[in-house]
């Protein structure tokens, strides 16, 4: 009988990018702190990780990102003021969101040398165990949270997993793309992968959506990884190296929900509409207000 795969306890959140597509908003504020309705984008992604059973949150930060650390810390003055003013609901919500003491770690990527390099910066904190990786600007909107679905698949197949979703054929050059054994399957073996393939050369139209479960051996490959597309150290290139060693399984898990790339202006605006419309306390009045705006300006 095969051994159950090692438990995933830690999740890495690379938040050291420059966010140039969102300037000037990101001049002094991290793009991960932009809000979708009333929660910072990073909080939505941390919610997804915690819903999947993640215990320890590892943030790879950079310059101007200190506010992310503050966001996940206790704000005593604020809590005292809320208590004094009888704002019990707000206080309870803040406390619910607060990670337990000792369950966050922060490290720095001194220069934004690419996603692969950012992940490598987490190697000492992650140690020799498999981990989840969530790109905080990609919001995965679905009934079953994406990472929870991946965790369930991991229980069955172990190894390395990436979430994938189809993109139009003429857009594959903008993404990390995987080739798979059976594109119709919900969970299928990965046969190859490439970061930003030249037009017409992509092995499929399935792109990596920004959710991963990785074995710690990825760090050895990242350590030696040369810069790739965009002259950045690419995670996809290191994953391809691990795949080609053929000593670990690599599976793609299909993500069936809606994806919002909050690193792009359009994706961010769409996320606010989608999350706003589906909020119990806000959906109805927001829908009415939105139709009014669209009616006037649309
Ligand atoms: P992106 O390429 O979308 O982020 O990286 P970016 O570089 O900040 O954005 P633009 O293109 O300049 O607008 C995806 C994720 O990886 C992190 C980013 O913070 C983002 O969450 N990242 C990227 C790093 O942590 N370090 C890097 O060197 C690059």
């Amino acid at each position: 009988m095969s051994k159950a795969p090692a438990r995933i306890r830690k999740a890495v959140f690379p938040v050291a990018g420059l966010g140039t597509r969102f300037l000037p908003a990101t001049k002094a504020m991290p793009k991960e702190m932009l809000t979708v309705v009333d929660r910072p984008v990073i909080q939505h992604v941390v919610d997804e990780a915690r819903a999947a059973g993640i215990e320890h949150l590892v943030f790879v930060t950079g310059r101007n990102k200190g506010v992310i650390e503050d966001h996940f810390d206790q704000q005593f003055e604020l809590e005292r003021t809320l208590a004094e003013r009888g704002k019990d609901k707000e206080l309870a919500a803040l406390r619910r969101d607060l990670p337990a003491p000792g369950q966050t770690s922060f490290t720095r990527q001194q220069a934004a040398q690419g996603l692969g390099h950012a992940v490598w910066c987490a190697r000492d904190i992650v140690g020799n165990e498999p981990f989840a990786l969530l790109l905080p600007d990609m919001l995965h909107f679905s009934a079953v949270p994406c990472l929870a679905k991946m965790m369930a698949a991991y229980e069955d197949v172990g190894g390395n997993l990436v979430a994938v979703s189809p993109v139009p054929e003429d857009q594959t050059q903008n993404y990390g793309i995987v080739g798979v054994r059976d594109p119709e399957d919900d969970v299928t073996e990965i046969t190859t992968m490439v970061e930003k393939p030249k037009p017409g050369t992509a092995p499929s139209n399935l792109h990596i959506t920004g959710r991963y479960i990785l074995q710690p051996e990825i760090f050895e490959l990242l350590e030696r990884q040369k810069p790739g597309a965009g002259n950045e150290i690419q995670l996809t290139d290191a994953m391809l190296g691990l795949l080609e060693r053929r000593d670990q399984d690599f599976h793609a898990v299909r993500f069936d929900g809606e994806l919002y790339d909050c690193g792009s202006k359009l994706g961010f605006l769409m996320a606010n509409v989608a999350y706003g419309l589906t909020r119990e306390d806000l959906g109805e009045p927001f829908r009415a207000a939105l139709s009014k705006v669209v009616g006037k300006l649309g």
Side-chain angles (χ1 to χ4, degrees):
M1 219 168 77
S2 65
K3 237 172 56 187
R7 206 157 63 87
I8 312 290
R9 301 186 310 122
K10 297 178 183 170
V12 174
F13 304 87
V15 292
L18 301 177
T20 54
R21 284 169 295 164
F22 240 109
L23 282 167
T26 48
K27 194 174 161 200
M29 183 185 64
K31 70 173 174 182
E32 296 82 7
M33 289 301 292
L34 294 169
T35 56
V36 169
V37 189
D38 52 6
R39 294 172 89 66
V41 171
I42 183 73
Q43 180 72 65
H44 284 282
V45 181
V46 163
D47 293 347
E48 181 189 333
R50 292 176 82 186
I54 291 296
E55 293 164 12
H56 194 110
L57 313 170
V58 182
F59 298 89
V60 181
T61 73
R63 263 188 303 284
N64 289 334
K65 304 280 181 163
V67 67
I68 297 178
E69 196 161 342
D70 293 340
H71 178 76
F72 290 101
D73 196 3
Q74 194 160 3
Q75 303 292 336
F76 288 106
E77 281 177 16
L78 175 62
E79 289 197 6
R80 199 175 51 230
T81 308
L82 289 175
E84 281 166 7
R85 294 186 184 171
K87 294 195 175 269
D88 300 337
K89 224 172 77 192
E90 288 80 358
L91 183 57
L94 280 189
R95 290 193 171 148
R96 219 176 19 248
D97 285 344
L98 193 67
Q103 293 197 326
T104 50
S105 296
F106 296 84
T107 187
R108 281 221 173 196
Q109 183 192 28
Q110 285 90 344
Q113 295 180 49
L115 173 61
H117 184 261
V119 174
W120 180 70
C121 290
R123 67 198 178 283
D124 281 354
I125 300 173
V126 171
N128 191 27
E129 57 181 280
F131 62 101
L133 167 67
L134 297 95
L135 301 200
D137 42 7
M138 294 303 294
L139 287 190
H140 289 58
F141 185 79
S142 55
V144 177
C146 182
L147 189 63
K149 180 176 176 182
M150 293 175 76
M151 291 285 223
Y154 175 76
E155 287 296 311
D156 285 342
V157 296
N160 302 272
L161 290 96
V162 300
V164 298
S165 164
V167 284
E169 306 274 350
D170 62 352
Q171 287 176 28
T172 51
Q173 70 271 19
N174 300 319
Y175 297 94
I177 302 286
V178 297
V180 294
R181 188 81 57 208
D182 188 344
E184 301 309 314
D185 275 3
D186 218 30
V187 180
T188 177
E189 249 174 80
I190 295 178
T191 53
T192 188
M193 57 182 93
V194 52
E195 185 62 38
K196 302 190 174 58
K198 292 203 170 63
T201 65
S204 81
N205 69 339
L206 292 174
H207 85 290
I208 302 173
T209 65
R211 299 290 183 270
Y212 312 74
I213 289 175
L214 294 169
Q215 298 298 317
E217 287 74 19
I218 193 70
F219 293 124
E220 299 161 23
L221 286 111
L222 284 170
E223 175 131 20
R224 296 192 300 269
Q225 191 59 53
K226 300 266 179 302
N231 203 29
E232 292 192 334
I233 297 176
Q234 296 289 352
L235 176 64
T236 310
D237 296 342
M239 290 197 301
L240 178 64
L242 192 52
L243 175 75
E244 286 177 341
R245 275 176 22 174
R246 304 206 177 280
D247 55 0
Q248 289 186 1
D249 289 331
F250 254 98
H251 284 88
V253 179
R254 189 177 274 261
F255 173 65
D256 295 318
E258 297 297 324
L259 272 175
Y260 299 106
D261 177 1
C262 290
S264 82
K265 294 179 185 92
L266 197 57
F268 173 74
L269 291 170
M270 284 162 64
N272 268 289
V273 173
Y275 281 72
L277 286 177
T278 49
R279 271 272 292 259
E280 225 169 84
D281 58 337
L282 211 64
E284 244 174 74
F286 181 44
R287 188 178 301 274
L290 196 60
S291 325
K292 220 161 135 190
V293 174
V294 172
K296 273 194 186 154
L297 306 175

